[in-house]
Amino acid sequence: SAWKFSKDYHNFHVANAPLYPMFLSIFISLFGLKVIMLKAINVVFILLHIVFMYLAFRNRVSGFVLLIVLFFTAINSYFLYYASQTFTEAMALTLQGLFFLTAFKAYDKVVAGASLKDSWLQWLQLGLVMFLFSMARNIAVLAVPVVMLFLLIDKRFLAAAYALGGFIVWKIPFEVIKKMIWGDIGQYGGQSAILMLKDPYGSQTDPANKETYSGFVTRFFNNADLYISKRMFQVLGFKSPDSTETSTALVVFCLLLFAGALYFILKNKNKYMLLPAIFAVALLSGTFVVLQTQWDQTRLVMVFIPVLLLIFFSGLYYSFKSMSSAAQIFPVMIMIVIFCSSFISTSKKTAANFPILKENLAGNIYYGYTQDWVNYLQLSAYCADSLPSTAYVAARKAPMSFIYAKGKQFYPVYSVFASDADSVLATFKKEKVTHVIVASLRRNPAMNDGMIINTMQRLLYPITQKYPQKLRLVKTQGDIEEAYLYEIVY
């Protein structure tokens, strides 16, 4: 998306929020498609996240609690993974830390009784950060009502209006400019259409695939099981990365711990920690409602874990603060255990991945991938090397194909957009698609159990039944978990 934007600024990216690809496009315009450089930018973002979280929460929580959380972030394998990828999480973490820093600075002005004349700069800064945060992560638009609710609970009614005004000051001019340059395209339009489906990979036109009210409720509780009892504990190092187990009882236990921690925080009159508590509840709840359970990705909960740990550890600290020195060792030991669990998990992954890194640096760019991905990526490279430059290939994982084909554009297919042969062919013809990659990418990356991501197969099946002559096999890549390249004969 960043590459497209660097070539033509009319390619406004809206699939997963536009700020990150727009930011990367600056570096691509200056230096070209240098993937390692783009990954290094996320290393900087993770470092900035740690700095901003420190500046935001120093003198507002226990110094020991803050340092444990920051060290956890710095050595945790999941945070390090997203520091080495070109996903949006690293930027979102940076803006999340900056959000708390600017919100607390504005609140300091409120507590000090400053007038709007003396605090307008802080509200503009907070508004800008909330605007950028919402542009970097769709669900982060909830940061605005979160700040307002925090201030309303504290009976700072004018301050709540200032917070909203600070956001609007940046949002409205951007929307005007966006309409002038990009027309009526919206940040939430395309993604919201997919989120309203029961199956995000299913047909968008099938009425049976439309989500119901009760379906959203079920989705919320199922996602809570997935992200709290499985994904969060994987990040903490208490569950294997390959674990598929969920537990509603564990979710309830975590909610009780959260409620207890918040009770002791408020009992000790630390109003600052109420904001991250409301923030975590609002954005996690929003995530659980809008995303289908099929996504089930660690990154969707990972960004909130530093905030959750700050709340949990602060509650522990306050609950034992008035007890004897011997008793105060207990919360310290819990924090150290969680830190050590994360460190051990990271050490194991480092030992496993180092040989892969060594091979990659030696020039074997496919080493470390499972065979299904090797076949898919090699076939993507073939499309760049052996097909005419005018060939436009439809692919299920177009961004990965784009990288391994050294910048060749692929037509992305994210869902089964039609269920009949004529509609599929009409769409491909309209988009000028000439070829299609049909891969055997595993649903479970850890094993070849025969279950694959079958979006392309489901799209092409009606064509094979009605117009088999319209698909001509060009190349088969691999002997197992094969990838196939077909030419479409219109």
CSV table of all heavy atoms in Angstrom, one decimal, residues 337-366:
chain,number,residue,atom,x,y,z
A,337,VAL,N,8.1,-13.3,38.2
A,337,VAL,CA,7.7,-14.6,37.6
A,337,VAL,C,7.2,-14.3,36.1
A,337,VAL,O,7.6,-15.0,35.2
A,337,VAL,CB,6.7,-15.4,38.4
A,337,VAL,CG1,6.0,-16.5,37.6
A,337,VAL,CG2,7.3,-16.0,39.6
A,338,ILE,N,6.3,-13.3,36.0
A,338,ILE,CA,5.8,-13.0,34.7
A,338,ILE,C,6.9,-12.5,33.7
A,338,ILE,O,7.0,-12.9,32.6
A,338,ILE,CB,4.7,-12.0,34.8
A,338,ILE,CG1,3.5,-12.6,35.5
A,338,ILE,CG2,4.3,-11.4,33.4
A,338,ILE,CD1,2.3,-11.6,35.7
A,339,PHE,N,7.8,-11.7,34.3
A,339,PHE,CA,8.9,-11.2,33.5
A,339,PHE,C,9.8,-12.4,33.0
A,339,PHE,O,10.2,-12.5,31.9
A,339,PHE,CB,9.7,-10.2,34.3
A,339,PHE,CG,11.0,-9.8,33.6
A,339,PHE,CD1,11.0,-8.8,32.7
A,339,PHE,CD2,12.2,-10.4,33.9
A,339,PHE,CE1,12.2,-8.4,32.1
A,339,PHE,CE2,13.4,-10.0,33.3
A,339,PHE,CZ,13.4,-9.0,32.4
A,340,CYS,N,10.1,-13.3,34.0
A,340,CYS,CA,11.0,-14.4,33.7
A,340,CYS,C,10.3,-15.4,32.7
A,340,CYS,O,11.0,-15.9,31.8
A,340,CYS,CB,11.4,-15.2,34.9
A,340,CYS,SG,12.5,-14.3,36.0
A,341,SER,N,9.0,-15.6,32.8
A,341,SER,CA,8.3,-16.4,31.9
A,341,SER,C,8.4,-15.9,30.4
A,341,SER,O,8.7,-16.6,29.5
A,341,SER,CB,6.8,-16.5,32.2
A,341,SER,OG,6.1,-17.3,31.3
A,342,SER,N,8.3,-14.6,30.3
A,342,SER,CA,8.4,-14.0,29.0
A,342,SER,C,9.9,-14.1,28.5
A,342,SER,O,10.1,-14.4,27.3
A,342,SER,CB,8.1,-12.5,29.1
A,342,SER,OG,8.3,-11.8,27.8
A,343,PHE,N,10.8,-13.9,29.4
A,343,PHE,CA,12.3,-14.0,29.0
A,343,PHE,C,12.6,-15.4,28.5
A,343,PHE,O,13.3,-15.6,27.5
A,343,PHE,CB,13.1,-13.6,30.1
A,343,PHE,CG,14.6,-13.6,29.8
A,343,PHE,CD1,15.2,-12.6,29.1
A,343,PHE,CD2,15.4,-14.7,30.3
A,343,PHE,CE1,16.6,-12.7,28.8
A,343,PHE,CE2,16.7,-14.7,30.0
A,343,PHE,CZ,17.3,-13.7,29.2
A,344,ILE,N,12.1,-16.4,29.2
A,344,ILE,CA,12.4,-17.8,28.9
A,344,ILE,C,11.8,-18.1,27.5
A,344,ILE,O,12.4,-18.7,26.6
A,344,ILE,CB,11.9,-18.8,29.9
A,344,ILE,CG1,12.7,-18.6,31.2
A,344,ILE,CG2,11.9,-20.2,29.4
A,344,ILE,CD1,12.1,-19.3,32.4
A,345,SER,N,10.6,-17.7,27.3
A,345,SER,CA,9.9,-17.9,26.0
A,345,SER,C,10.7,-17.2,24.9
A,345,SER,O,10.9,-17.8,23.8
A,345,SER,CB,8.5,-17.3,26.0
A,345,SER,OG,7.8,-17.5,24.8
A,346,THR,N,11.2,-16.0,25.1
A,346,THR,CA,11.9,-15.3,24.1
A,346,THR,C,13.3,-16.0,23.8
A,346,THR,O,13.7,-16.2,22.6
A,346,THR,CB,12.2,-13.9,24.5
A,346,THR,OG1,11.0,-13.2,24.7
A,346,THR,CG2,13.1,-13.1,23.5
A,347,SER,N,13.9,-16.5,24.8
A,347,SER,CA,15.2,-17.2,24.7
A,347,SER,C,15.0,-18.5,23.8
A,347,SER,O,15.9,-18.8,23.0
A,347,SER,CB,15.8,-17.6,26.1
A,347,SER,OG,16.0,-16.4,26.8
A,348,LYS,N,13.9,-19.2,24.1
A,348,LYS,CA,13.7,-20.5,23.3
A,348,LYS,C,13.5,-20.1,21.8
A,348,LYS,O,14.0,-20.8,20.9
A,348,LYS,CB,12.5,-21.2,23.9
A,348,LYS,CG,12.7,-21.8,25.2
A,348,LYS,CD,11.4,-22.5,25.7
A,348,LYS,CE,11.6,-23.2,27.1
A,348,LYS,NZ,10.4,-23.8,27.6
A,349,LYS,N,12.7,-19.1,21.5
A,349,LYS,CA,12.4,-18.7,20.2
A,349,LYS,C,13.7,-18.2,19.5
A,349,LYS,O,13.9,-18.4,18.3
A,349,LYS,CB,11.3,-17.6,20.1
A,349,LYS,CG,10.0,-18.2,20.5
A,349,LYS,CD,8.9,-17.1,20.4
A,349,LYS,CE,7.5,-17.6,20.8
A,349,LYS,NZ,6.5,-16.5,20.7
A,350,THR,N,14.5,-17.5,20.2
A,350,THR,CA,15.8,-17.0,19.7
A,350,THR,C,16.7,-18.1,19.2
A,350,THR,O,17.2,-18.1,18.1
A,350,THR,CB,16.5,-16.1,20.7
A,350,THR,OG1,15.7,-15.0,21.1
A,350,THR,CG2,17.8,-15.6,20.2
A,351,ALA,N,16.8,-19.1,20.1
A,351,ALA,CA,17.6,-20.3,19.8
A,351,ALA,C,17.1,-21.0,18.6
A,351,ALA,O,17.9,-21.5,17.7
A,351,ALA,CB,17.7,-21.2,21.0
A,352,ALA,N,15.7,-21.1,18.4
A,352,ALA,CA,15.1,-21.8,17.3
A,352,ALA,C,15.3,-21.0,16.0
A,352,ALA,O,15.5,-21.6,14.9
A,352,ALA,CB,13.7,-22.1,17.6
A,353,ASN,N,15.2,-19.7,16.1
A,353,ASN,CA,15.2,-18.9,14.9
A,353,ASN,C,16.6,-18.4,14.4
A,353,ASN,O,16.7,-18.0,13.2
A,353,ASN,CB,14.4,-17.6,15.1
A,353,ASN,CG,12.9,-17.9,15.1
A,353,ASN,OD1,12.4,-18.7,14.3
A,353,ASN,ND2,12.1,-17.3,16.0
A,354,PHE,N,17.6,-18.5,15.3
A,354,PHE,CA,18.9,-18.1,14.9
A,354,PHE,C,19.5,-18.8,13.6
A,354,PHE,O,20.0,-18.2,12.7
A,354,PHE,CB,19.9,-18.2,16.0
A,354,PHE,CG,21.2,-17.6,15.7
A,354,PHE,CD1,21.4,-16.2,15.7
A,354,PHE,CD2,22.3,-18.4,15.4
A,354,PHE,CE1,22.7,-15.7,15.4
A,354,PHE,CE2,23.6,-17.9,15.1
A,354,PHE,CZ,23.7,-16.5,15.1
A,355,PRO,N,19.3,-20.2,13.6
A,355,PRO,CA,19.8,-20.8,12.3
A,355,PRO,C,19.0,-20.4,11.1
A,355,PRO,O,19.6,-20.3,10.0
A,355,PRO,CB,19.5,-22.3,12.6
A,355,PRO,CG,19.4,-22.4,14.1
A,355,PRO,CD,18.8,-21.1,14.6
A,356,ILE,N,17.8,-20.0,11.2
A,356,ILE,CA,17.0,-19.5,10.1
A,356,ILE,C,17.5,-18.2,9.6
A,356,ILE,O,17.7,-17.9,8.4
A,356,ILE,CB,15.5,-19.4,10.4
A,356,ILE,CG1,14.9,-20.8,10.8
A,356,ILE,CG2,14.7,-18.8,9.3
A,356,ILE,CD1,13.5,-20.8,11.3
A,357,LEU,N,17.8,-17.3,10.6
A,357,LEU,CA,18.3,-16.0,10.3
A,357,LEU,C,19.7,-16.1,9.6
A,357,LEU,O,20.0,-15.4,8.6
A,357,LEU,CB,18.5,-15.2,11.6
A,357,LEU,CG,19.1,-13.8,11.4
A,357,LEU,CD1,18.3,-12.9,10.5
A,357,LEU,CD2,19.4,-13.2,12.8
A,358,LYS,N,20.5,-17.1,10.1
A,358,LYS,CA,21.8,-17.3,9.5
A,358,LYS,C,21.7,-17.7,8.0
A,358,LYS,O,22.4,-17.1,7.1
A,358,LYS,CB,22.6,-18.4,10.2
A,358,LYS,CG,24.0,-18.6,9.8
A,358,LYS,CD,24.7,-19.6,10.7
A,358,LYS,CE,26.1,-19.8,10.3
A,358,LYS,NZ,26.8,-20.9,11.1
A,359,GLU,N,20.8,-18.6,7.7
A,359,GLU,CA,20.5,-19.0,6.3
A,359,GLU,C,20.0,-17.8,5.5
A,359,GLU,O,20.4,-17.6,4.3
A,359,GLU,CB,19.6,-20.2,6.3
A,359,GLU,CG,20.2,-21.5,6.7
A,359,GLU,CD,21.2,-22.0,5.8
A,359,GLU,OE1,21.1,-21.8,4.6
A,359,GLU,OE2,22.1,-22.7,6.2
A,360,ASN,N,19.1,-17.1,6.0
A,360,ASN,CA,18.5,-15.9,5.3
A,360,ASN,C,19.6,-14.9,4.9
A,360,ASN,O,19.6,-14.4,3.8
A,360,ASN,CB,17.4,-15.3,6.1
A,360,ASN,CG,16.2,-16.1,6.3
A,360,ASN,OD1,15.4,-15.9,7.3
A,360,ASN,ND2,15.9,-17.1,5.5
A,361,LEU,N,20.4,-14.6,5.9
A,361,LEU,CA,21.5,-13.6,5.6
A,361,LEU,C,22.5,-14.2,4.6
A,361,LEU,O,23.2,-13.4,3.9
A,361,LEU,CB,22.2,-13.3,7.0
A,361,LEU,CG,21.4,-12.5,8.0
A,361,LEU,CD1,22.1,-12.3,9.3
A,361,LEU,CD2,20.9,-11.2,7.4
A,362,ALA,N,22.6,-15.5,4.5
A,362,ALA,CA,23.5,-16.1,3.6
A,362,ALA,C,22.9,-16.1,2.1
A,362,ALA,O,23.6,-16.5,1.2
A,362,ALA,CB,23.9,-17.5,4.0
A,363,GLY,N,21.6,-15.7,2.0
A,363,GLY,CA,21.0,-15.6,0.7
A,363,GLY,C,19.9,-16.5,0.4
A,363,GLY,O,19.2,-16.5,-0.6
A,364,ASN,N,19.6,-17.5,1.3
A,364,ASN,CA,18.5,-18.4,1.2
A,364,ASN,C,17.2,-17.8,1.7
A,364,ASN,O,16.9,-17.9,2.9
A,364,ASN,CB,18.8,-19.7,1.9
A,364,ASN,CG,17.8,-20.8,1.6
A,364,ASN,OD1,16.7,-20.5,1.0
A,364,ASN,ND2,18.0,-22.0,2.0
A,365,ILE,N,16.5,-17.1,0.8
A,365,ILE,CA,15.4,-16.2,1.3
A,365,ILE,C,14.2,-17.1,1.6
A,365,ILE,O,13.2,-16.5,2.2
A,365,ILE,CB,15.0,-15.2,0.3
A,365,ILE,CG1,14.6,-15.8,-1.1
A,365,ILE,CG2,16.2,-14.2,0.1
A,365,ILE,CD1,14.1,-14.8,-2.1
A,366,TYR,N,14.1,-18.3,1.2
A,366,TYR,CA,13.0,-19.2,1.5
A,366,TYR,C,13.2,-20.1,2.7
A,366,TYR,O,12.2,-20.7,3.2
A,366,TYR,CB,12.6,-20.0,0.3
A,366,TYR,CG,12.3,-19.2,-0.9
A,366,TYR,CD1,13.2,-19.2,-2.0
A,366,TYR,CD2,11.2,-18.5,-1.1
A,366,TYR,CE1,13.0,-18.5,-3.1
A,366,TYR,CE2,10.9,-17.8,-2.2
A,366,TYR,CZ,11.8,-17.7,-3.2
A,366,TYR,OH,11.6,-17.0,-4.4
